[in-house]
Amino acid sequence: MVFDRWEFGSEFHFDSGAVAGSNTPPTPWSSHPNRLYSCGRDALTEALRQGGVAFGWRRLWVPDYMCEEVVEAAQSVIEIARYRCLPTEPFPRPWESLNLGDTDALLIVNTFGLREGTDWPTERVFGVIEDHTHDPTSAWASTSSADFALA
């Protein structure tokens, strides 16, 4: 099997002085309020803290195919529950099979950049966090309607 691209995750040093005033093109998320973190775990835990305060989130549903270090970090902030979601299967639309309430948040991960997006229910009571780390410049990332998005 041949892959056109590969990815290796890690924590990155960030020098904000090197970026200030640079002529980098805008990113898909430039028009939205955003913050930079050196790793996805920190971004997710901060989104969960803010979601807990702003929306009353008490439980986060995570895919069962998920980086355990990220799950452990999230568990330090919120109760964790799992739903079945494998990159080798069609996207499960967990809001249709889970009993999600207004204190629940759902983490949707574009694992390996294989997903093309989703159509959220028009009137949802649960929170949504989308993880676009594997394909941050996708059309889905740039049109996200999630409460929080990570990239």
Side-chain angles (χ1 to χ4, degrees):
M1 184 180 297
V2 177
F3 294 98
D4 292 340
R5 60 184 183 180
W6 62 273
E7 180 174 332
F8 182 79
S10 65
E11 295 184 16
F12 298 92
H13 170 73
F14 176 70
D15 180 1
S16 61
V19 175
S22 69
N23 292 327
T24 56
T27 59
W29 51 89
S30 296
S31 61
H32 302 284
N34 60 71
R35 294 185 182 163
L36 296 173
Y37 294 88
S38 65
C39 70
R41 293 183 305 272
D42 291 344
L44 178 60
T45 56
E46 182 58 25
L48 292 170
R49 283 187 192 96
Q50 290 188 27
V53 171
F55 306 118
W57 295 347
R58 299 290 171 254
R59 178 173 49 187
L60 176 67
W61 290 85
V62 299
D64 53 8
Y65 186 84
M66 181 73 188
C67 175
E68 287 305 312
E69 290 178 346
V70 174
V71 175
E72 287 174 14
Q75 199 167 18
S76 71
V77 177
I78 197 168
E79 176 189 341
I80 298 295
R82 303 245 183 188
Y83 68 93
R84 183 173 176 86
C85 184
L86 300 174
T88 56
E89 298 176 356
F91 187 69
R93 301 174 60 88
W95 55 91
E96 294 176 352
S97 60
L98 302 173
N99 187 20
L100 299 170
D102 60 359
T103 60
D104 289 311
L106 183 63
L107 177 63
I108 301 295
V109 181
N110 187 2
T111 308
F112 309 129
L114 298 173
R115 308 284 187 209
E116 294 181 11
T118 188
D119 52 334
W120 297 114
T122 312
E123 296 186 25
R124 60 179 167 83
V125 296
F126 57 92
V128 174
I129 300 174
E130 291 176 357
D131 182 343
H132 296 285
T133 305
H134 290 206
D135 195 0
T137 59
S138 70
W140 180 14
S142 65
T143 59
S144 173
S145 63
D147 299 300
F148 295 93
L150 315 175

